[in-house]
Amino acid sequence: LRWKCSSCVGSAAARFSQAMPSAVLPGVDVVAIPGLTLTEVFGNVATKDATLSAVHEKITEPSMSNPWRCPEFAEYILVVKGEAHVEHSAGTLVVKAGFGVSLPAGCRVKVNLPEPSELVAICLPAFSPQTEHREEGEPAPPTPAHATKTAPLLATAVDVVKAPTLTITEFFGNVASSDAKLSACVAKVDEACSEAWQQPTFAEWVLVLSGMLHLEHADGVTKVPAGSGVFLAPNERVKWVWPEACTYVPICMPAFTPDACRREPEEGSAKDADPETMARLQELHEN
């Protein structure tokens, strides 16, 4: 990957603000055509920050004629619903809901979507048309200098948290893909609840896909509605509160670990309702 976590996180923190959490960041529909909507919550368009981009993709019509491309950035794709077919030099990888696929920088691929689907795509560094290198038109452009012989890597999502009101499914990270650089999860809250205070050492980018997230912090409460995001700098002390059912995507750099989360156990919080929840999370990270 062509990025350094420490410098990127510092850049992002400076870009968003000195008082964390950042302001609520509304998503921007960078593509809105019949059958396809791409909503960027972080990236060169939505936040003017090149650290990473995170896009919520909704596909309502099959898309089987996408061009080949050979990006300079690495890409992590979480398949939430439906499936994606990733063509590459050695064949086609079918990625169904509940799986993720990582595409190393310089990996030449064609991503097709044979059915209605919902994806979250994360690019490091952030996506730009200039660094995507789409192969459109005839004849095909020559192979770019940054191309590699790498192949897509499939990751099986793991439910790392199974609490009575909260399920967190890791698609990439220390548990699901043995990747300590970045973690990305889909978290589902079934009903109103809250979590314990925490002060992580990692940076966190949060996309709210549905419902509402409240973040309590030293300066008050930041309310993040569906279709928006928020950035949390390292060492920001926050308490997560969900006033209603909610689905969100937390992206952590470096990848989440229980120790780096620096969570303050709290009776009645979502992960403390069942003592086995935190014990299992810790065990998953020790194996």
Side-chain angles (χ1 to χ4, degrees), residues 108-280:
R108 183 174 179 265
V109 294
K110 178 192 286 191
V111 181
N112 292 320
L113 303 159
E115 62 185 53
S117 303
E118 182 179 0
L119 317 173
V120 173
I122 303 160
C123 300
L124 293 173
F127 171 94
S128 76
Q130 293 76 24
T131 57
E132 185 187 21
H133 297 279
R134 289 166 66 95
E135 301 178 10
E136 296 182 300
E138 295 291 343
T143 301
H146 67 272
T148 64
K149 295 182 179 180
T150 53
L153 299 173
L154 187 69
T156 304
V158 177
D159 289 341
V160 292
V161 170
K162 284 286 289 182
T165 59
L166 170 66
T167 300
I168 300 178
T169 304
E170 183 179 281
F171 283 71
F172 302 101
N174 284 299
V175 176
S177 60
S178 300
D179 188 346
K181 297 182 294 298
L182 172 146
S183 60
C185 302
V186 174
K188 294 184 178 181
V189 178
D190 296 326
E191 60 185 52
C193 61
S194 64
E195 239 299 85
W197 286 90
Q198 61 185 47
Q199 192 172 9
T201 59
F202 46 77
E204 193 163 7
W205 291 256
V206 183
L207 295 74
V208 178
L209 305 186
S210 65
M212 173 74 75
L213 165 66
H214 291 182
L215 287 171
E216 297 182 9
H217 49 89
D219 298 322
V221 179
T222 297
K223 299 179 180 180
V224 192
S228 301
V230 66
F231 172 76
L232 301 173
N235 302 309
E236 174 70 8
R237 185 172 182 266
V238 294
K239 180 181 177 68
W240 297 60
V241 178
W242 302 278
E244 61 190 44
C246 179
T247 301
Y248 64 97
V249 176
I251 303 164
C252 304
M253 288 203 301
F256 171 94
T257 68
D259 292 341
C261 182
R262 297 194 297 187
R263 182 177 180 274
E264 305 166 21
E266 179 183 314
E267 185 176 354
S269 68
K271 292 177 189 169
D272 291 312
D274 180 352
E276 292 300 317
T277 300
M278 288 304 300
R280 181 174 183 273

Side-chain angles (χ1 to χ4, degrees), residues 30-31 38 40 43-46 50 53 55 67-73 75 123 125-136 141 144 146:
V30 290
V31 174
L38 306 183
E40 184 181 278
N44 285 307
V45 175
S53 58
V55 172
W68 287 90
R69 56 194 182 97
C70 186
E72 295 180 37
F73 48 79
E75 188 168 8
C123 300
F127 171 94
S128 76
Q130 293 76 24
T131 57
E132 185 187 21
H133 297 279
R134 289 166 66 95
E135 301 178 10
E136 296 182 300
H146 67 272

